[in-house]
C-alpha cells in the first residue's frame, strides 16, 4: 500500500542495477522555445474553452481510493517473473468522500514529470493540462516538468518547467508540439539508470507517460525498475493511440485520439463518397491508419457505410489468401458494373497486408532476417533466407511492394507496415483479374480508380469535444494516482456514455495487461493489442458491420458525417462519442433503412435521397435559413427587377473582333433591385433548366435550393435539373426540382443529386443538341454552372440561341474550388471558400504533426486550376491555404512562372531552406506545392505542350522519337513514375492531367538528390525524410461553409431573375462579398464583358477565338503581398496555424477566407467613381464659380489622357489575360 505523497522523502539506496559511472544527463531545465506563434480563430476559441467543465465529479476535492483485484495476464508466470513488484497490484478506483467531514491530510508541494511518447494523437495537450491543473489544485506551488521529444528526453535530462502560460497556450489544441514526441524507448541498463538518475536529480515524485501499447509497456518496465531501486518517483501511464488498439474493458474502454482521428477520416471518406456519386466513374480506394488492428477502418466504415471495408482480423481468422481477396473484390466490381455502377468506395486498413496469411508469414520471416543482419538487405539476400513458400509469395508481389517491404524499419527493427501501399497492391491484382475476365467475356465494365492514404492529417488535429474532455479527465486521473502513491498503473476513465461529471476514474496495473511476444528475435513483454473482436462480448461493432455489408456491396447508402463541430449549444452532433464505443456499451446500432433503387437516365444513375438517409449533422444543417442580400430577401420574382446599367467596354480593336462572333459585345450590366408594390415581374410562365458542367464543388445544392425557392410562389413555374451534366442535357434527361426534392440536399457538398460528366458544349452539333433539349422542355432559361471553360461555351451557346430565335435565355453561375473563375465582376467562385478551409484543416494538422515528431518534411500538393490550351494554370487555392496555415514554403505556379525558374533552380531553393532549417536543428517542415507547378517551369512547359499534341496513352518507345531534342533529354532524366504519369490518358480537354503528376514526389526526390550531393561535399549535415501527399478529392465535395452556402443560394436565385428577364448571355454575380450577406449587391454581367481576345503568336496559323480565361494569382494583389510579408519568418520558424474543421455554428462559422476578404471590389469602386463624377457635374452647373469650372476641366482632361494611355492596346489591366496569355 503506497501512502499519499504528503512530504518529501530521502531517496533510499539503489538495489537492482548500478548507475553508469558518468551520467551525461542534464539536471537543469532548458529554456522553453516551443510556444505557438500564432493561432487560428477556432484555435483561439478552443483555448478559451473551460477545461474545468471536463472534470468528473469524483475528482473534485479529495477522492477516496478503493482497490479491487486486477485482471491477470494470459502469460501469468512469465509476466510475474519479469514484474515481481508491480504485477499483482490491485486496480484502483476513486470515490468521493462519504462526507465533507472526512479528514483531508495536509498537503505539500509536489514535482511531477510528463512525457509524450510514440506517434501523435489528438488530445495529448489536454492530458498535460489535466496533470497541471490537478497538482496546482493539490498545492499552488507544485511543479510540472515536461521532457522533450519523447522518452530519450528522460534519460538525457532534456526537460522544461511548464508554467501556466505555456500550458494555457495549448489547451484543447491538437498535436504534441508543446513538448515534441519520439519513438525512442528506454531499453539499455544505462538508459534505465540515467532515467532514474534524472528523476532523482530533479526530485520528481511522479512521472506520467503518455503513450500507446509499446510506450506504456516501457512505463511498466520503468515502474518495476524504480520500485526495485526504491526510487520515490511513481510511474503512471495514459492510454494513447489513434489506432484504438490499446483498451481493456471495462478498465480502459478506449484510447484517446481514436475519436478525433476516426471522425477526421470519416469526414474525408464521406466527401470522397459524394465525389464518387457526383461523377460516377471512379473507384476510390482509401487506406486508413491501423498498423496492427482494423479498429479505425471499422469505425470509419460504420460512420460512412462504404461498399466494402476489409477487416484484417477477419482475413486472418478465415485464412483468406491474396488471390481469394482479389477474386471477392473483383466479384463486387463486376456485380456493380452489371447494375451500371462503375464506381464505389473501398476502405483498407494500412496493416491489412500483415493479416493475409502468406504475406504475414513473409513479413515475420523478413523481420527475423533483419533482426539478425547488420548489412543493408537486398532482394537476393532476402530470398536466400526465406522458406520456399514465402519466397514464392515474395516473387509474386509487384516490384513496388517488394521494394516497400525492404524500404525502412521502425525503431523495433520491423518492417514499416504503414509505408506499404496495400491499396496499390490490391488495385494491381484486381485490375489484372478484371482484365482476364474481360478477355474471357465475363466483364464489360470500366475500372478507373483513385488512391487515397489518410494518416498524418488525423494525428494532430483539434481534438473533438469527447477527446478534449476524455484527455483532460485522464490527465487529472493520472496526477491523482501519483498523489495517492500509486505506481505502475494505467489511468482509467469509464462510464463514458454518461455526462462528463458522472465519469468514473481510477487505474489498472500495466503489467496485468501484458503478454509475451517475439520482438527482435526474442520474447519481450508487451501490452496485448486490442484487435477488432470478431466474436465475444465486445464484437457488437463487427456484428453491426456484418449486418449491413452484404447490402452495401451493391447499394449506395453512403453517410456523410461532415466536419467535426465544437459548438454544443448550436450543433447536437458536437457531443457524439465514438460509435464503436457506443455499440460495445450496449447502444442499439442504427439500421440501414430503405435502400432505393437507382433509375438509369442516359449514362447516369439517378437516385435522390430522403432526409432520413442523411447523417445527424446533415439533417441539422438542412434546417438552416440562408442569408441573402436585402435586394432579394423576399425571394419572389414579383418583388425584384433587373435594372439596366451602363454599357460594358472593350478596347476598339477587340470590340471589332468580338463583333465577328457576338451581336452585342458591349451589352450593358443589369443590377437586381427590389421594387415597391407587387406588380408582376413577368406574366410569362417560367421553365428554367440547370446543368452542372464544371467539376464538383461545395455549395451547388444550395444553388438549386435558391433557384427553386425564387420560383416557389409561382405554382406554374418550374425548375428542371439535367441529370448527368452536359450529356444529360444532350439526351433530354431531366427531373423537376421541387422544394421536397432539394430540401434534404441543402447544405450538402458535391453534385450528388444531378451529377456531371463532361464540361463541354462546344461543337455546332453539341450546341444544336442543347437547343433541341431546351425546345423539348419549353425552357425559358438555361443555367450553366461551372468555371471559365463552361462560361466560354455558354457565351457561344447564348449567341447561337439568339441567332436561331430561341426563347431560352442562357445564364451562367461561377463555380469551382480552384477560385480562378474570377475577374473584375466575379469576386469568388462557389466552393472556393469551403475547399480552402477544408484543405487548410488538413495542411494545418499535418504541419503540426511535423512539428510534434520533428523528423519529416511534408510535401503537400494542392489541387488547383487546370491548364487551358497549354497555358499556365492558377494556384489561388494553394495561396489561400498558405495564408491560413503558414507553411515553411509555398511553391506558387505564378511566381515560378514570373521568375522563369528552371527545375534545377527551384530544387536548389527548396534545398537551401531545408539546409538552413537543419543548421538550426530543425530537420522537419511543411512545403505546399501548387498542382500546376510543373507547367510554369519553362523546359517542362515545352515538354507538356509537345506531349499534348500526341495521342495518349502511348508507350515511351513511340513518344521519344516525336519529341524535340531538348524535351527528349528532359524526359529521359525524369524518374520512371513521372514518365509513366505524363503518358497517361488525357483529361477531357485533351491536355496532360496535371492532377495525375506527382509533382510533390518529384520535388522531394530531386531535393533529396541535391542534399545527398551536398552531404558528400560536406555542406549539409542534417537529415531529410520526405512524406508526400496529394490533397484534392477529399475536400472538393466538402460540406459547404456558411459563406458558400449563402453565396450559392444567392447566385441560384439571381440566375432565375436574369433568366426570367430574358437576359441571355449573362452571368449571375454578387459583389461586395467582404461585407455581410445582407449588403451584397447582385447583378447580371454579360459574358462578353469578361472575354479576352488572345494575342496571336508567331507560331499560330489563325487568330484564337475570344474566351473567358481563368484568372491567375495577382502577384501585385493583397493576398500575395500578405504572404510575401510572412514567408521569410515562416521558412525559419514554426508559425503553423490549424484553422480546424469548417464550423457551421459559433463564432468561427462566419469567417471568410482571406483571398475573398481582401479582393478589390470592382463594382463598388465603379459606383463610387460614377457618384463622384455626378457630384462634379452637380457642382459645375451653370452659375457655378468659373474657377471651379477651370479646375474641374483641367483635372478631368489630365485624367482622360492618363486613362487613354493606360487602357491602350494590350493593356493588362483592361484585359488581364493579355499579360500572360500572349507570352
Amino acid at each position: 500500500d503506497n501512502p499519499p505523497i504528503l512530504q518529501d522523502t530521502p531517496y533510499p539506496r539503489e538495489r537492482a542495477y548500478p548507475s553508469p559511472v558518468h551520467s551525461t544527463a542534464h539536471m537543469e531545465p532548458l529554456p522553453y522555445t516551443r510556444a505557438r506563434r500564432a493561432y487560428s480563430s477556432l484555435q483561439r476559441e478552443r483555448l478559451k474553452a473551460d477545461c474545468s467543465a471536463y472534470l468528473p465529479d469524483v475528482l473534485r476535492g479529495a477522492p477516496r481510493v478503493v482497490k479491487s483485484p486486477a485482471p491477470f495476464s494470459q502469460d501469468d508466470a512469465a509476466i510475474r517473473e519479469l514484474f515481481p513488484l508491480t504485477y499483482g497490484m490491485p486496480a484502483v478506483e476513486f470515490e468521493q468522500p462519504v462526507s465533507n467531514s472526512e479528514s483531508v491530510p495536509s498537503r505539500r508541494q509536489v514535482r511531477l514529470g510528463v512525457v509524450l511518447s510514440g506517434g501523435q494523437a489528438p488530445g495529448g495537450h489536454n492530458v498535460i493540462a489535466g496533470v497541471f491543473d490537478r497538482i496546482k489544485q493539490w498545492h499552488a506551488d507544485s511543479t510540472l516538468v515536461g521532457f522533450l521529444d519523447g522518452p530519450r528526453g528522460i534519460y538525457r535530462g532534456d526537460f522544461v518547467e511548464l508554467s501556466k502560460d505555456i500550458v494555457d497556450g495549448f489547451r484543447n489544441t491538437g498535436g504534441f508540439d508543446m513538448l515534441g514526441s519520439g519513438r525512442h524507448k528506454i531499453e539499455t541498463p544505462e538508459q534505465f539508470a540515467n532515467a532514474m538518475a534524472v528523476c532523482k536529480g530533479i526530485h520528481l515524485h511522479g512521472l506520467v507517460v503518455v503513450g500507446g501499447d509499446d510506450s506504456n509497456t516501457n512505463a511498466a518496465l520503468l515502474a518495476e525498475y524504480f520500485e526495485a531501486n526504491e526510487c520515490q518517483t511513481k510511474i503512471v501511464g495514459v492510454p494513447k493511440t489513434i489506432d484504438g488498439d490499446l483498451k481493456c474493458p471495462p478498465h480502459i474502454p478506449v484510447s484517446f485520439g481514436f475519436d478525433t482521428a476516426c471522425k477526421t477520416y470519416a469526414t474525408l471518406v464521406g466527401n470522397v463518397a459524394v465525389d464518387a456519386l457526383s461523377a460516377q466513374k471512379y473507384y476510390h480506394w482509401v487506406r486508413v491508419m491501423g498498423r496492427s488492428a482494423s479498429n479505425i477502418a471499422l469505425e470509419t466504415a460504420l460512420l460512412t457505410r462504404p461498399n466494402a471495408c476489409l477487416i484484417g482480423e477477419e482475413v486472418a481468422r478465415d485464412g483468406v489468401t491474396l488471390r481469394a481477396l482479389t477474386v471477392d473484390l473483383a466479384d463486387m466490381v463486376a456485380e456493380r458494373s452489371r447494375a451500371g455502377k462503375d464506381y464505389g468506395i473501398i476502405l483498407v486498413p494500412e496493416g491489412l497486408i500483415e493479416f493475409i496469411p502468406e504475406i504475414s508469414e513473409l513479413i515475420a520471416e523478413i523481420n527475423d532476417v533483419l533482426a539478425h543482419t547488420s548489412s543493408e538487405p537486398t532482394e537476393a539476400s532476402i530470398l536466400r533466407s526465406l522458406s520456399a513458400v514465402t519466397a514464392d509469395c515474395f516473387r509474386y508481389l509487384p516490384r513496388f511492394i517488394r521494394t516497400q517491404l525492404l524500404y525502412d524499419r521502425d525503431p523495433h527493427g520491423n518492417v514499416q507496415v504503414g509505408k506499404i501501399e496495400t491499396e496499390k497492391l490490391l488495385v494491381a491484382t484486381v485490375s489484372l483479374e478484371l482484365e482476364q475476365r474481360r478477355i474471357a467475356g465475363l466483364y464489360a465494365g470500366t475500372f478507373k480508380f483513385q488512391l487515397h492514404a489518410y494518416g498524418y492529417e488525423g494525428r494532430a488535429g483539434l481534438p473533438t469535444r469527447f477527446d478534449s474532455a476524455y484527455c483532460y479527465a485522464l490527465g487529472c486521473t493520472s496526477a491523482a494516482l501519483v498523489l495517492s502513491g500509486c505506481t505502475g498503473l494505467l489511468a482509467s476513465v469509464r462510464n463514458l456514455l454518461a455526462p462528463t461529471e458522472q465519469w468514473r476514474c481510477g487505474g489498472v496495473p500495466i503489467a496485468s495487461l501484458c503478454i509475451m511476444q517475439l520482438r527482435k528475435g526474442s520474447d519481450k513483454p508487451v501490452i496485448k493489442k486490442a484487435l477488432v473482436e470478431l466474436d465475444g462480448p465486445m464484437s457488437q461493432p463487427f456484428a453491426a458491420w456484418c449486418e449491413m455489408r452484404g447490402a452495401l456491396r451493391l447499394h449506395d447508402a453512403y453517410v456523410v458525417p461532415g466536419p467535426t463541430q465544437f459548438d454544443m449549444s448550436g450543433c447536437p452532433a458536437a457531443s457524439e462519442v465514438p460509435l464503436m464505443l457506443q455499440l460495445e456499451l450496449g447502444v442499439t446500432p442504427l439500421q440501414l433503412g430503405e435502400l432505393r433503387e437507382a433509375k438509369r437516365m442516359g449514362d447516369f444513375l439517378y437516385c435522390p435521397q430522403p432526409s432520413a438517409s442523411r447523417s445527424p449533422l446533415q439533417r441539422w444543417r438542412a434546417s438552416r435559413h440562408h442569408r441573402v442580400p436585402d435586394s432579394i430577401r423576399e425571394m419572389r420574382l414579383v418583388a425584384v427587377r433587373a435594372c439596366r446599367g451602363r454599357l460594358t467596354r472593350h478596347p476598339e480593336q477587340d470590340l471589332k473582333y468580338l463583333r465577328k462572333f457576338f451581336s452585342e459585345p458591349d451589352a450593358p450590366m443589369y443590377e437586381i433591385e427590389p421594387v415597391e408594390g407587387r406588380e408582376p415581374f413577368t406574366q410569362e410562365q417560367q421553365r428554367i433548366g440547370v446543368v452542372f458542367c464544371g467539376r464538383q464543388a461545395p455549395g451547388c445544392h444550395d444553388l438549386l435550393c435558391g433557384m427553386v425557392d425564387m420560383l416557389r410562389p409561382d405554382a406554374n413555374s418550374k425548375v428542371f435539373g439535367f441529370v448527368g451534366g452536359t450529356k444529360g442535357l444532350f439526351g433530354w434527361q431531366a427531373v423537376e426540382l421541387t422544394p421536397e426534392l432539394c430540401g434534404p440536399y441543402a447544405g450538402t457538398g458535391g453534385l450528388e443529386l444531378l451529377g456531371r460528366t463532361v464540361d463541354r458544349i462546344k461543337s455546332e452539333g453539341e450546341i444544336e443538341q442543347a437547343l433541341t433539349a431546351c425546345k423539348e422542355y419549353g425552357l425559358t432559361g438555361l443555367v450553366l454552372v461551372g468555371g471559365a471553360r463552361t462560361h466560354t461555351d455558354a457565351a457561344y451557346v447564348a449567341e447561337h440561341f439568339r441567332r436561331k430565335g430561341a426563347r431560352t435565355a442562357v445564364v451562367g453561375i461561377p463555380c469551382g474550388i480552384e477560385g480562378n473563375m474570377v475577374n473584375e465582376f466575379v469576386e469568388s467562385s462557389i466552393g472556393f471558400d469551403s475547399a480552402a478551409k477544408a484543405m487548410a484543416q488538413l495542411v494545418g494538422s499535418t504541419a503540426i504533426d511535423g512539428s510534434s515528431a520533428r523528423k519529416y518534411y511534408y510535401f503537400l500538393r494542392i489541387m488547383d486550376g487546370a491548364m487551358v490550351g497549354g497555358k499556365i494554370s492558377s494556384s489561388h487555392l494553394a495561396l489561400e491555404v498558405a495564408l491560413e496555415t503558414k507553411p515553411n514554403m509555398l511553391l506558387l505556379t505564378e511566381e515560378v512562372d514570373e521568375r522563369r525558374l528552371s527545375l534545377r533552380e527551384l530544387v536548389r531553393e527548396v534545398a537551401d531552406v531545408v539546409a538552413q532549417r537543419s543548421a538550426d536543428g530543425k530537420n522537419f517542415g511543411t512545403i505546399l506545392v501548387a498542382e500546376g507547378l510543373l507547367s510554369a517551369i519553362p523546359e517542362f512547359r515545352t515538354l507538356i505542350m509537345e506531349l499534348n499534341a500526341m495521342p495518349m496513352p502511348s508507350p515511351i518507345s513511340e513518344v521519344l522519337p516525336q519529341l524535340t531534342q531538348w524535351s527528349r533529354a528532359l524526359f529521359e532524366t525524369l524518374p520512371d513514375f513521372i514518365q509513366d504519369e505524363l503518358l497517361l490518358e488525357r483529361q477531357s480537354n485533351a491536355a496532360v492531367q496535371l492532377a495525375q503528376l506527382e509533382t510533390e514526389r518529384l520535388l522531394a526526390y530531386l531535393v533529396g538528390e541535391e542534399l545527398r550531393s551536398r552531404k558528400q561535399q560536406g555542406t549539409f549535415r542534417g537529415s531529410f525524410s520526405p512524406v508526400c501527399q496529394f490533397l484534392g478529392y477529399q475536400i472538393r465535395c466538402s460540406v459547404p461553409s456558411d459563406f458558400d452556402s449563402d453565396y450559392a443560394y444567392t447566385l441560384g436565385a439571381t440566375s432565375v431573375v436574369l433568366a426570367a428577364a430574358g437576359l441571355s448571355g449573362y452571368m449571375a454575380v454578387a459583389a461586395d462579398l467582404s461585407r455581410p450577406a445582407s449588403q451584397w449587391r447582385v447583378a447580371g454581367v454579360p459574358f462578353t464583358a469578361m472575354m479576352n481576345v488572345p494575342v496571336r503568336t508567331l507560331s499560330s496559323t489563325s487568330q484564337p477565338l475570344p474566351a473567358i480565361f481563368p484568372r491567375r494569382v495577382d502577384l501585385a494583389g493583397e493576398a500575395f503581398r500578405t504572404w510575401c510579408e510572412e514567408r521569410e519568418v515562416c521558412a525559419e520558424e514554426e508559425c503553423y496555424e490549424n484553422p480546424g474543421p469548417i464550423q457551421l455554428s459559433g463564432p468561427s462559422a462566419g469567417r471568410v477566407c482571406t483571398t475573398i476578404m481582401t479582393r478589390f471590389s470592382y463594382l463598388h469602386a465603379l459606383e463610387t467613381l460614377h457618384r463622384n463624377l455626378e457630384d462634379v457635374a452637380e457642382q459645375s452647373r451653370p452659375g457655378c464659380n468659373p474657377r471651379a469650372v477651370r479646375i474641374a476641366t483641367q483635372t478631368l482632361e489630365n485624367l482622360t489622357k492618363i486613362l487613354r494611355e493606360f487602357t491602350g492596346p494590350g493593356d493588362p489591366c483592361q484585359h488581364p489575360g493579355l499579360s500572360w496569355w500572349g507570352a
Side-chain angles (χ1 to χ4, degrees), residues 636-641 675-682 710:
R636 302 180 65 188
L637 277 178
V638 296
V640 294
R641 63 178 179 178
V675 297
E676 299 296 332
R678 291 294 177 264
E679 67 274 14
F681 175 89
T682 175
M710 182 56 83

Side-chain angles (χ1 to χ4, degrees), residues 80-157:
R80 187 178 298 277
E81 181 178 355
L82 289 171
F83 299 93
L85 300 177
T86 56
Y87 182 69
M89 292 192 306
V92 166
E93 183 164 348
F94 293 113
E95 289 187 358
Q96 289 179 302
V98 176
S99 68
N100 293 331
S101 62
E102 290 190 16
S103 62
V104 178
S106 61
R107 301 172 178 177
R108 296 192 179 182
Q109 64 190 61
V110 295
R111 286 177 63 86
L112 265 64
V114 63
V115 63
L116 301 172
S117 180
Q120 291 70 253
H125 291 147
N126 268 26
V127 173
I128 297 175
V131 175
F132 181 86
D133 290 353
R134 186 64 182 174
I135 65 172
K136 288 295 186 180
Q137 182 266 336
W138 173 268
H139 193 288
D141 294 328
S142 294
T143 303
L144 179 64
V145 304
F147 290 99
L148 299 177
D149 301 326
R152 71 178 179 183
I154 302 174
Y155 58 76
R156 288 181 174 183

Side-chain angles (χ1 to χ4, degrees), residues 6 8 83 104 111 190 198 307 372 382 515 598 813 1050 1164 1223:
L6 302 178
D8 292 329
F83 299 93
V104 178
R111 286 177 63 86
E190 291 78 14
V198 169
N307 301 110
H372 293 90
I382 288 292
I515 60 172
I813 294 180
T1050 295
H1164 179 74

Side-chain angles (χ1 to χ4, degrees), residues 593-635:
E594 178 187 2
L595 295 175
R596 296 189 172 189
E597 293 295 331
K599 174 185 177 182
R600 175 163 289 284
M601 299 185 69
D603 294 333
F604 218 78
L605 294 176
Y606 174 68
C607 188
Q609 297 298 314
S611 179
S613 70
R614 298 300 185 186
S615 70
L617 180 71
Q618 287 180 307
R619 290 196 296 272
W620 168 78
R621 178 68 165 166
S623 64
R624 175 180 180 268
H625 294 289
H626 294 90
R627 292 169 297 193
V628 298
D630 287 342
S631 57
I632 60 170
R633 65 178 179 272
E634 292 199 31
M635 291 298 290

Side-chain angles (χ1 to χ4, degrees), residues 1129-1148:
V1129 175
C1130 289
E1132 298 173 356
E1133 306 293 343
E1134 293 73 63
C1135 304
Y1136 311 135
E1137 294 181 25
N1138 186 355
I1142 294 173
Q1143 294 301 287
L1144 307 176
S1145 63
S1148 291

Side-chain angles (χ1 to χ4, degrees), residues 69 90 108 203 262 318 350 354 388 412 435 459 491 517 557 575 585 589 749 785 865 898 926 966 1001-1002 1088 1176 1219:
R108 296 192 179 182
H203 308 292
C262 289
D318 299 341
E350 69 171 347
E354 282 191 287
H412 304 290
E435 191 57 33
R459 304 197 312 177
Q517 192 175 89
S575 60
L585 295 179
V785 183
E898 174 78 13
T926 299
W966 299 112
R1001 186 177 167 194
L1002 173 64
T1088 52
V1176 170
S1219 64

